[in-house]
Amino acid sequence: MAASNLQEEPPPSFVAGLFIPDYADDSATLLSNARADGYDFCVTSLVLPGAVSQNSHLPVAVRKDVCRLGSSWWSTSIVGTLLMYDTKHALSVAEEDDIERMVKWACHMSIPAIILPLAANIDARLITKLSLIATVSNIQLWVRVRLCWSDIEKMDLLLRRCASGSGGNNVGICLELLGSNPNSADASIAKGLNTYSVTEILQMLHVMIGMNLKAVSLNTKTFMTNKRGYPTLSKAMQNGFTYILKRLGRTIRVLVEGAPLHSPTQNSGMPLPAGSTVLIGKSGLLPYLQYLRHLRQRPEVTSVIDTAEANMESSYLDHLQSPLQPLGDDLEFATYETFEKDPVKYAQYELAIRKALIVLTTEKKLSMVNSNIHEKTQPSLRATIAVLGAGRGPLITSALDAVESINSTSRYGPIDVNVIALDKNGNAVVYLQSLLASHENASSGVLSQTGARWSSKNVKIIHCDMRNASSHPVMAQWQRGIAMGIGHKIDIIVSELLGSFGDNELSPECLEGAFETMNKMDLLHNHCISIPQSYISFVSPVSSVRLHAEAKAQAYSTPSSALDGPMGQPVGVLKAMETPYVVRSHAASQTHREKPVFQFEHANFGGQNKTSISYLKNPQFNKRNIIGFTLADTIHSYEYGSGYGRMTDNGSRNIPSTSSALTRIGTTIHGLIGTFEAKLFGDVMISIAPASFSVGMFSWFPLYFPIKEPLFVPPGASIVVLMWRRLDSESGRVWYEWGVDVVSPKGESMSDTVIACSPVHNPGGRSHHVRL
């Protein structure tokens, strides 16, 4: 069939393909039938160009279908597979040469992926060679792996042997999800997943996701048959497939393989006429696709991967970004706009400010003044709120909303509020000033209403670095007013200076600097409250072939700023692997429950820090911690997911777990995932740590700390993470140093033994630092 007869469709969110062995050498017919039924791609056997080597037994025949499809179809809708007659014997030199030639043919055709067997004779040396050939044409290599511990162990060893453990970003897994069909003659399919507990199935899938799971294959033999003849999966298979969709549904490829084995009946129960394709489609595999799409549309799946938040973050999945230089770089207009759409963060800030004001009111900390409330002059309480790092003003709005919420009740109000907003970004200040003045030029609209509201609440916009507030004339004038008894000191300081790791965007240094400056100017009440009050940095080991390969790939990229190195020159492997990255982790598996590493507190700083000692000499900014992760931290580790998002409960916590990834086969660690939890005020929290994740909040992605070479953690071993936070006030730099040890259980010596370790990364901040 001519390619012109094939109609292109937009790529769906659920990408499925099929492979029917009888059509292994007729991709044109198979693709035509597949797309007619709604499949997106098909699998075909690789072609061996030229004559057959004397010692080769690989099948070679003239392929008539190659000329029937245009290049656009070969490069988007065809996946190749290596069909070998025997995967047990050692390959001869000629046979290896044949395999290489077939992969080179796939490169010539720009086929997007090749499926390879997990066989003893397809070893790491050959995979590495094929990976290098395929990389030139951006072809992925999918290695077939069954859902069993033995295959997972083999694949982990294969990846560790390939490219020093990273396996290259083009080597991944095609999971053969073998179901439990007691009617199957195949013993492995007859037993299928019934040989494992629910916990073990989810643990195996969790481990494989960290090993770069790219596709999942379901053989038609694994499907059972319902009363009307339609294919269906066992409960265990449904649970496993649903778990994969929830974790990787936006990127996974689903493959149905085998001949059609199901014959659905009509609603009347009568069989279809001979030759009818109404229910089975042109390929004969339409019912399988319909059933899998039904599973894809289940609420437990759509509620995870079809939300507005999920759509927003899709382009960021596993995409490494250099952390912000918050005191050196200014956010762009569109970035502010994106963060302001967060439905959770600012609601929590408003709640925290409201609770702080209630506490100050009940404790009679606020001064009494005569104010114009609801167009009436009456006694009220005066609150002064300073917003440090105002951006485009969302925290100002949160503060005003909190005050109005209190004033709407008679229990605590009324409160009259003054807001002082500081920001060092002159571009953002332009927007704030425009917003404040907008009510003078328009009589309606959201912006004009906001401007009028700000003006009536006496909002002042100040362009300055919060640490050098004393140098600004408005702040100096305010100081003189307080000294004369006509001004009001600050009751609450609100800021949103947190980074992915809590303190990595220098919130401690910025706030301590601001507190020190404002205290010396006597601008803070003794009861002054900081929002946030404290925050904790968490760290956990992560297994992710994808993230590790992406970090190594940064070695060949060019720096985005002249301050980061010579423009146009690759950064090199050392710098690439000693730099922490912001990333929406996706093809990653957090192996242990996260643990706290650093904590900073900013509770009631009013009246303190009036000494001449600089805040930069504060020893709390130079921290060191050693965190141990034991076997107990791996139980139900699949619930920690990729290291981002709320820890899930898959209904198996009531099932005793005597096995985990580490107790059965060990695991491979590719780095660390950093998250944070912040106490805004009292019990009001925001968090991106899986155990306490703020559902719906998207302002922060985790921080990935790579390690130069992956570390294998054998069964029974533990992990020790060493983490330092260093500050050098003379050079004006803050940086992290980190390392990982693998420790064996106590032996006869009754002491732990380090059996593997990484070097200390980024010593002295040689590869990455944040500028003060």
Short mmCIF file of all heavy atoms in Angstrom, two decimals, residues 264-284:
data_model
loop_
_atom_site.label_atom_id
_atom_site.label_comp_id
_atom_site.label_asym_id
_atom_site.label_seq_id
_atom_site.Cartn_x
_atom_site.Cartn_y
_atom_site.Cartn_z
N PRO A 264 -14.42 -11.86 20.07
CA PRO A 264 -15.59 -11.27 20.76
C PRO A 264 -16.89 -11.59 20.03
O PRO A 264 -16.92 -11.75 18.81
CB PRO A 264 -15.29 -9.78 20.75
CG PRO A 264 -13.82 -9.67 20.50
CD PRO A 264 -13.45 -10.84 19.65
N THR A 265 -17.96 -11.67 20.80
CA THR A 265 -19.28 -11.90 20.22
C THR A 265 -20.07 -10.60 20.20
O THR A 265 -19.72 -9.63 20.85
CB THR A 265 -20.04 -12.94 21.04
OG1 THR A 265 -20.20 -12.45 22.38
CG2 THR A 265 -19.30 -14.27 21.06
N GLN A 266 -21.17 -10.59 19.46
CA GLN A 266 -22.05 -9.44 19.40
C GLN A 266 -22.84 -9.33 20.71
O GLN A 266 -22.84 -10.23 21.53
CB GLN A 266 -23.00 -9.58 18.21
CG GLN A 266 -22.29 -9.78 16.87
CD GLN A 266 -23.26 -9.93 15.74
OE1 GLN A 266 -23.87 -8.95 15.30
NE2 GLN A 266 -23.44 -11.16 15.27
N ASN A 267 -23.50 -8.19 20.86
CA ASN A 267 -24.30 -7.98 22.07
C ASN A 267 -25.35 -9.08 22.25
O ASN A 267 -25.74 -9.42 23.36
CB ASN A 267 -24.98 -6.61 22.03
CG ASN A 267 -23.97 -5.50 22.19
OD1 ASN A 267 -22.92 -5.70 22.79
ND2 ASN A 267 -24.29 -4.33 21.66
N SER A 268 -25.80 -9.61 21.15
CA SER A 268 -26.82 -10.66 21.21
C SER A 268 -26.24 -11.99 21.66
O SER A 268 -26.98 -12.93 21.96
CB SER A 268 -27.46 -10.85 19.84
OG SER A 268 -26.49 -11.24 18.88
N GLY A 269 -24.91 -12.06 21.70
CA GLY A 269 -24.27 -13.32 22.07
C GLY A 269 -23.98 -14.21 20.88
O GLY A 269 -23.32 -15.23 21.01
N MET A 270 -24.45 -13.82 19.70
CA MET A 270 -24.21 -14.60 18.50
C MET A 270 -22.80 -14.32 17.98
O MET A 270 -22.32 -13.19 18.02
CB MET A 270 -25.24 -14.24 17.42
CG MET A 270 -26.67 -14.55 17.83
SD MET A 270 -26.94 -16.33 18.04
CE MET A 270 -26.71 -16.88 16.34
N PRO A 271 -22.11 -15.34 17.48
CA PRO A 271 -20.77 -15.12 16.91
C PRO A 271 -20.87 -14.29 15.64
O PRO A 271 -21.90 -14.23 14.97
CB PRO A 271 -20.28 -16.54 16.62
CG PRO A 271 -21.53 -17.36 16.47
CD PRO A 271 -22.53 -16.75 17.41
N LEU A 272 -19.76 -13.63 15.32
CA LEU A 272 -19.72 -12.80 14.13
C LEU A 272 -19.67 -13.67 12.88
O LEU A 272 -19.16 -14.80 12.92
CB LEU A 272 -18.50 -11.89 14.16
CG LEU A 272 -18.51 -10.78 15.21
CD1 LEU A 272 -17.14 -10.14 15.31
CD2 LEU A 272 -19.55 -9.73 14.86
N PRO A 273 -20.16 -13.16 11.75
CA PRO A 273 -20.04 -13.90 10.49
C PRO A 273 -18.58 -14.12 10.14
O PRO A 273 -17.70 -13.35 10.52
CB PRO A 273 -20.73 -12.97 9.47
CG PRO A 273 -21.60 -12.07 10.30
CD PRO A 273 -20.92 -11.91 11.61
N ALA A 274 -18.30 -15.18 9.45
CA ALA A 274 -16.93 -15.49 9.05
C ALA A 274 -16.35 -14.34 8.25
O ALA A 274 -16.99 -13.82 7.34
CB ALA A 274 -16.90 -16.78 8.24
N GLY A 275 -15.13 -13.94 8.57
CA GLY A 275 -14.45 -12.87 7.86
C GLY A 275 -14.78 -11.48 8.34
O GLY A 275 -14.20 -10.50 7.86
N SER A 276 -15.71 -11.34 9.28
CA SER A 276 -16.09 -10.01 9.76
C SER A 276 -14.98 -9.44 10.63
O SER A 276 -14.38 -10.14 11.45
CB SER A 276 -17.39 -10.10 10.56
OG SER A 276 -17.67 -8.84 11.16
N THR A 277 -14.72 -8.13 10.47
CA THR A 277 -13.68 -7.44 11.27
C THR A 277 -14.28 -6.33 12.11
O THR A 277 -13.56 -5.46 12.59
CB THR A 277 -12.59 -6.86 10.35
OG1 THR A 277 -13.19 -5.88 9.48
CG2 THR A 277 -11.93 -7.95 9.52
N VAL A 278 -15.60 -6.36 12.30
CA VAL A 278 -16.26 -5.28 13.01
C VAL A 278 -15.71 -5.11 14.42
O VAL A 278 -15.44 -4.01 14.88
CB VAL A 278 -17.79 -5.52 13.05
CG1 VAL A 278 -18.47 -4.48 13.94
CG2 VAL A 278 -18.37 -5.48 11.65
N LEU A 279 -15.53 -6.23 15.12
CA LEU A 279 -15.10 -6.17 16.51
C LEU A 279 -13.61 -6.39 16.70
O LEU A 279 -13.06 -5.99 17.72
CB LEU A 279 -15.88 -7.19 17.35
CG LEU A 279 -17.39 -7.00 17.42
CD1 LEU A 279 -18.02 -8.05 18.33
CD2 LEU A 279 -17.75 -5.59 17.92
N ILE A 280 -12.96 -7.04 15.76
CA ILE A 280 -11.54 -7.36 15.95
C ILE A 280 -10.61 -6.44 15.16
O ILE A 280 -9.41 -6.46 15.36
CB ILE A 280 -11.25 -8.83 15.57
CG1 ILE A 280 -11.54 -9.07 14.08
CG2 ILE A 280 -12.05 -9.78 16.45
CD1 ILE A 280 -11.13 -10.46 13.62
N GLY A 281 -11.17 -5.63 14.26
CA GLY A 281 -10.36 -4.71 13.50
C GLY A 281 -9.60 -5.37 12.38
O GLY A 281 -9.61 -6.59 12.23
N LYS A 282 -8.89 -4.56 11.59
CA LYS A 282 -8.15 -5.09 10.45
C LYS A 282 -6.95 -5.91 10.88
O LYS A 282 -6.54 -6.84 10.21
CB LYS A 282 -7.71 -3.95 9.54
CG LYS A 282 -8.86 -3.19 8.89
CD LYS A 282 -8.36 -2.21 7.84
CE LYS A 282 -7.76 -2.91 6.64
NZ LYS A 282 -7.36 -1.97 5.58
N SER A 283 -6.38 -5.54 12.04
CA SER A 283 -5.20 -6.27 12.52
C SER A 283 -5.59 -7.52 13.30
O SER A 283 -4.75 -8.40 13.51
CB SER A 283 -4.36 -5.36 13.43
OG SER A 283 -5.06 -5.05 14.63
N GLY A 284 -6.84 -7.59 13.76
CA GLY A 284 -7.26 -8.67 14.62
C GLY A 284 -6.97 -8.41 16.09
O GLY A 284 -7.39 -9.17 16.96
#
